[in-house]
Amino acid sequence: MVFLVGIQVLYAQQLPTSSQYLFNPYSLTPSLAGYTGYSEVFLNYRNDWTGIEGSPRTFSANGFGNVYQKKLWIGGEIMGDKTDILSLFKANLSLTYKLQVEQNQFLYFGVWTTFFQASANMANGIGVDPNDPIIQNGSKLNSSAFNAGAGIVYNWNNLTIGFSMPSMFGLNDEYELNSSFKYKVQRQYQFHVSNLFELSDTWQLQAIGLVQKTANQPVNIEISAMAIYMGRFWGGMLYRNSGALAINIGAHIYNGFVFNYSYEMGLGNINKGSGGSHEITIGYRFKFTNNAYFGAREDITGRKKGRRSGTLNYPAVKDFNYNKN
């Protein structure tokens, strides 16, 4: 209690980390809504630091759909994060425009607005007696704020390069839980590059590099590689420079349903005793009937592109009998 009362500004990770953007691009940046040409929805659960009591637990859901000729997409996300006495709720609404500039080249322009609500309930702290008279008055503190973001993504065949600002306003945009406890929404920058390599008729390799910078926090760098079999089954690894290594496996189950699981382990310092992190995502791609999930896309005209699903249909051939006479 002395520590909480005496603190002036709390610096911590602004939002929970996730590795599910490996197959859910919208969770990386709303600018990628409509990247595949399909409407999609995802449900996600993450449990961080399972070896520590009161560790973070995060629930989230995101999705997007087409509103105009495969060019204009609307999306949204809700997220709830609980860590001991601290809780954070986030909701955002996005609009993305997909522009074809050349053959197989596209630009994605995304803008979004985000609502944050933070609360600190000291009565729920580990080892805290809720009947303690010290915390009877004002034991739960709440506040909220709005922010906005924008991003642009360039796509050429299987290469994607993007830049975004998930939180554009941060220097003066903060919400205070009281005069001695502040939660700031800091300005954030994000750059990513990815490519899907076609190794053979049955194997692909997806590589992603991600750089994130938030005010008052170190630069976060993530590198991942994922092997994909028949466009339907995948597995790979992700490295984060904060001292974490994630193992990722997933599959396209049936008719647009996908499942993905990640296990993240610490590599040093406090991470080694954290107990690791588990993350599960279930997704659905509407009106998707192919077997190959990765590499399957539709262009803005609605024509399907990408790898074959494994079933080939050939045109019928008629035999004609000719009379020589």
Side-chain angles (χ1 to χ4, degrees), residues 166-315:
S167 298
M168 297 180 64
F169 310 107
L171 296 180
N172 299 315
D173 185 4
E174 64 181 47
Y175 45 94
E176 302 182 6
L177 298 180
N178 60 28
S179 59
S180 62
F181 189 95
K182 299 179 181 180
Y183 186 101
K184 291 186 176 183
V185 180
Q186 299 287 357
R187 181 174 289 125
Q188 186 178 2
Y189 303 91
Q190 180 174 281
F191 171 82
H192 78 274
V193 57
S194 67
N195 194 69
L196 185 66
F197 298 94
E198 305 285 354
L199 303 181
S200 68
D201 290 339
T202 56
W203 286 97
Q204 299 166 285
L205 178 68
Q206 178 175 266
I208 298 179
L210 171 66
V211 179
Q212 295 174 315
K213 180 66 177 78
T214 304
N216 302 313
Q217 295 184 24
V219 176
N220 180 65
I221 301 175
E222 299 182 13
I223 301 174
S224 67
M226 191 160 59
I228 304 161
Y229 178 69
M230 293 295 292
R232 187 170 185 175
F233 306 96
W234 55 87
M237 303 185 72
L238 179 147
Y239 170 76
R240 187 176 294 122
N241 69 331
S242 58
L245 182 69
I247 300 174
N248 197 71
I249 59 172
H252 170 220
I253 302 172
Y254 178 74
N255 277 1
F257 283 99
V258 290
F259 170 84
N260 197 82
Y261 168 76
S262 298
Y263 175 73
E264 189 173 303
M265 65 193 79
L267 298 180
N269 300 325
I270 192 174
N271 292 325
K272 291 192 297 185
S274 66
S277 302
H278 302 273
E279 189 167 7
I280 298 174
T281 297
I282 298 175
Y284 180 69
R285 178 178 290 176
F286 294 87
K287 298 181 180 180
F288 183 75
T289 58
N290 292 343
N291 288 325
Y293 187 83
F294 276 89
R297 288 188 289 165
E298 290 186 340
D299 63 19
I300 58 177
T301 64
R303 295 174 299 183
K304 295 181 180 180
K305 304 193 304 178
R307 295 177 60 86
R308 294 190 294 265
S309 63
T311 301
L312 302 179
N313 295 320
Y314 296 96

Side-chain angles (χ1 to χ4, degrees), residues 3-314:
F3 173 77
L4 288 175
V5 171
I7 197 169
Q8 292 300 312
V9 180
L10 175 66
Y11 293 106
Q13 181 177 290
Q14 183 157 287
L15 290 172
T17 60
S18 174
S19 60
Q20 301 303 291
Y21 64 82
L22 298 176
F23 82 114
N24 177 12
Y26 185 87
S27 65
L28 178 63
T29 171
S31 301
L32 284 172
Y35 173 74
T36 62
Y38 296 94
S39 299
E40 301 178 4
V41 63
F42 297 90
L43 300 176
N44 175 263
Y45 169 74
R46 181 180 175 92
N47 186 6
D48 282 296
W49 309 339
T50 54
I52 301 176
E53 189 176 1
S55 61
R57 297 173 183 267
T58 307
F59 297 88
S60 64
N62 65 56
F64 50 86
N66 177 249
V67 293
Y68 178 72
Q69 294 184 354
K70 299 290 183 179
K71 297 180 180 180
L72 193 61
W73 299 77
I74 187 170
E77 180 183 31
I78 57 173
M79 183 206 70
D81 181 66
K82 177 74 169 62
T83 308
D84 194 31
I85 66 171
L86 300 176
S87 298
L88 176 66
F89 174 79
K90 168 194 168 186
N92 81 287
L93 184 67
S94 67
L95 192 66
T96 303
Y97 183 76
K98 182 178 180 179
L99 174 67
Q100 185 169 6
V101 292
E102 291 288 346
Q103 182 70 24
N104 297 330
Q105 296 187 49
F106 299 89
L107 285 175
Y108 299 79
F109 302 92
V111 293
W112 54 92
T113 182
T114 308
F115 169 77
F116 295 92
Q117 184 177 53
S119 64
N121 190 344
M122 288 176 283
N124 289 339
I126 298 173
V128 174
D129 181 3
N131 298 317
D132 192 324
I134 296 179
I135 61 174
Q136 287 299 302
N137 297 322
S139 62
K140 187 172 183 178
L141 308 169
N142 298 282
S143 190
S144 59
F146 286 92
N147 212 298
I152 182 172
V153 174
Y154 168 75
N155 169 242
W156 176 44
N157 291 326
N158 291 331
L159 174 67
T160 302
I161 302 173
F163 173 79
S164 65
M165 296 181 66
S167 298
M168 297 180 64
F169 310 107
L171 296 180
N172 299 315
D173 185 4
E174 64 181 47
Y175 45 94
E176 302 182 6
L177 298 180
N178 60 28
S179 59
S180 62
F181 189 95
K182 299 179 181 180
Y183 186 101
K184 291 186 176 183
V185 180
Q186 299 287 357
R187 181 174 289 125
Q188 186 178 2
Y189 303 91
Q190 180 174 281
F191 171 82
H192 78 274
V193 57
S194 67
N195 194 69
L196 185 66
F197 298 94
E198 305 285 354
L199 303 181
S200 68
D201 290 339
T202 56
W203 286 97
Q204 299 166 285
L205 178 68
Q206 178 175 266
I208 298 179
L210 171 66
V211 179
Q212 295 174 315
K213 180 66 177 78
T214 304
N216 302 313
Q217 295 184 24
V219 176
N220 180 65
I221 301 175
E222 299 182 13
I223 301 174
S224 67
M226 191 160 59
I228 304 161
Y229 178 69
M230 293 295 292
R232 187 170 185 175
F233 306 96
W234 55 87
M237 303 185 72
L238 179 147
Y239 170 76
R240 187 176 294 122
N241 69 331
S242 58
L245 182 69
I247 300 174
N248 197 71
I249 59 172
H252 170 220
I253 302 172
Y254 178 74
N255 277 1
F257 283 99
V258 290
F259 170 84
N260 197 82
Y261 168 76
S262 298
Y263 175 73
E264 189 173 303
M265 65 193 79
L267 298 180
N269 300 325
I270 192 174
N271 292 325
K272 291 192 297 185
S274 66
S277 302
H278 302 273
E279 189 167 7
I280 298 174
T281 297
I282 298 175
Y284 180 69
R285 178 178 290 176
F286 294 87
K287 298 181 180 180
F288 183 75
T289 58
N290 292 343
N291 288 325
Y293 187 83
F294 276 89
R297 288 188 289 165
E298 290 186 340
D299 63 19
I300 58 177
T301 64
R303 295 174 299 183
K304 295 181 180 180
K305 304 193 304 178
R307 295 177 60 86
R308 294 190 294 265
S309 63
T311 301
L312 302 179
N313 295 320
Y314 296 96

